[in-house]
Amino acid sequence: MTQEPAREEARRPDHKDGWDKLRIILQPIGGLFTALAIAMFGFITSSKLDQRQALVTDTRLYSELMSRREESESALRKDMLVSIIARFLNPEIQDLNNDVLSLELLAYNFHESLNLKPMFLDLTRRIQREAADAPGAEKQAEYAEFTERLESVAREIARKQMIVLEGVGRRFDRTIDLSVDPDGTSLEPALMTLDSVQTNISIDVLHVDRVNRNVLVGVSLETPDPTQGSQTKTATFTVSFFDFPMIDNLRIADGQRCALVLTNFSEQSADLTAVLFPGSYASLKEKPYYNEVIQSVLKASKSGR
């Protein structure tokens, strides 16, 4: 009795519902989709790898082109420097017009790597000596033009360097009143903060040379130190139009630099600009001290934690 229903059930034909039919239909389609997905993944991966390889190739090619360009420019600048210096220092072919032109070329092309102040001063003295013996107003005007050209190129170079340094540092301006005798006066001090380091800058006017248009100053830089209390650095030097801030500057705490620039000189006043900036923006000839490098690395590691 109990085996009859089982036999009857066994004799019934297989009956598949809609889900079974759907599974039968989708099974080969699923395999097709899987194969398509694998093919698409391989295509996308291969495309990305090709793009990356092309980017690496382009970057390498660009780097090689830039390196060759820099080498060519360096060789050209080297030849130019050697040629100009040799002509400038040759006493047999000295000519004021050519020497002024040579110094202009040097200043515009090498002002970040060479201290050109001695050459400016030497050429200025030569112009003054020859102007003193020059007869006639025409010759005097010619020598005055030489002096104007030297001061013009020097002020332009200083202005360009100041634009760069002001973008990363701090500055303040002071005016010396020349309507009275300014010798021995003190300008208003300034407290400037750069990279969390405060520096108090004081400037004393020691002497003003109205003929040569320069100012002898005494500068005091006081920087607080958490371990030693405070550090004070003093210096006495002459400021003229031929001082370039990236070259002529004072080292202070934390690898920073302070420079003083003469921006204007007239019968009534002389304008000074002081700029405080990171030492990494000093000229190419300035090499950081080892302790400055170590302090910079330690500061960078602490800030990155």
Side-chain angles (χ1 to χ4, degrees):
M1 298 287 296
T2 59
Q3 295 179 355
E4 279 305 318
R7 292 175 181 174
E8 188 176 343
E9 183 69 24
R11 288 195 297 269
R12 291 178 182 177
D14 292 340
H15 176 74
K16 299 185 181 297
D17 57 11
W19 291 106
D20 294 331
K21 294 179 181 179
L22 184 61
R23 185 174 64 251
I24 294 173
I25 294 173
L26 292 180
Q27 188 171 3
I29 297 178
L32 178 62
F33 283 163
T34 302
L36 289 175
I38 294 175
M40 184 64 69
F41 177 77
F43 174 77
I44 294 175
T45 303
S46 176
S47 177
K48 292 294 184 182
L49 289 176
D50 291 342
Q51 292 178 3
R52 183 176 181 83
Q53 183 65 33
L55 179 61
V56 171
T57 302
D58 292 343
T59 303
R60 184 183 299 112
L61 178 60
Y62 178 77
S63 300
E64 291 177 356
L65 290 176
M66 291 301 296
S67 177
R68 293 176 182 176
R69 178 182 175 182
E70 291 178 358
E71 290 177 358
S72 300
E73 289 183 353
S74 298
L76 177 62
R77 288 166 60 86
K78 176 184 175 182
D79 295 339
M80 180 189 299
L81 177 63
V82 172
S83 176
I84 294 175
I85 290 292
R87 180 179 180 86
F88 192 89
L89 298 180
N90 189 347
E92 297 180 357
I93 57 175
Q94 285 187 351
D95 176 77
L96 279 180
N97 186 46
N98 290 333
D99 290 343
V100 171
L101 177 60
S102 298
L103 190 50
E104 288 174 334
L105 290 173
L106 284 176
Y108 282 121
N109 289 280
F110 302 98
H111 64 87
E112 293 183 353
S113 54
L114 294 178
N115 187 357
L116 298 174
K117 182 177 180 179
M119 302 180 73
F120 274 101
L121 294 177
D122 179 71
L123 193 51
T124 299
R125 286 191 291 265
R126 285 175 51 196
I127 293 174
Q128 291 175 349
R129 285 197 303 266
E130 295 192 20
D133 300 331
E138 184 177 350
K139 273 293 184 180
Q140 292 291 336
E142 182 181 359
Y143 289 118
E145 181 185 355
F146 290 153
T147 302
E148 177 62 27
R149 286 173 58 184
L150 290 181
E151 290 188 356
S152 177
V153 65
R155 295 172 69 174
E156 177 65 15
I157 296 303
R159 185 188 67 83
K160 290 181 178 180
Q161 293 188 3
M162 286 293 291
I163 291 175
V164 176
L165 299 180
E166 289 169 13
V168 296
R170 300 289 183 270
R171 63 167 284 179
F172 71 90
D173 303 308
R174 294 293 182 265
T175 299
I176 304 173
D177 186 6
L178 299 183
S179 61
V180 296
D181 185 9
D183 293 358
T185 61
S186 298
L187 303 181
E188 180 183 356
L191 181 63
M192 294 193 294
T193 302
L194 179 63
D195 295 335
S196 301
V197 178
Q198 290 185 338
T199 302
N200 188 29
I201 304 177
S202 302
I203 302 174
D204 297 325
V205 180
L206 304 180
H207 178 67
V208 175
D209 188 343
R210 299 173 186 265
V211 176
N212 295 312
R213 290 152 64 92
N214 58 56
V215 182
L216 179 64
V217 298
V219 178
S220 175
L221 306 170
E222 184 178 358
T223 304
D225 190 289
T227 59
Q228 302 178 5
S230 64
Q231 295 182 354
T232 302
K233 178 172 291 187
T234 59
T236 301
F237 52 90
T238 300
V239 184
S240 67
F241 289 127
F242 307 135
D243 292 283
F244 306 124
M246 287 185 178
I247 298 284
D248 302 292
N249 51 68
L250 301 174
R251 293 176 182 262
I252 55 178
D254 287 357
Q256 296 181 0
R257 303 288 191 274
C258 180
L260 201 60
V261 179
L262 180 65
T263 57
N264 185 52
F265 196 104
S266 65
E267 293 293 332
Q268 300 298 320
S269 63
D271 297 330
L272 297 176
T273 297
V275 59
L276 186 70
F277 61 95
S280 57
Y281 284 81
S283 70
L284 299 178
K285 78 179 188 64
E286 290 286 342
K287 296 181 179 179
Y289 295 137
Y290 289 117
N291 62 332
E292 292 180 356
V293 176
I294 294 174
Q295 289 176 2
S296 300
V297 172
L298 291 177
K299 181 183 290 187
S301 63
K302 290 179 180 179
S303 61
R305 292 177 182 174

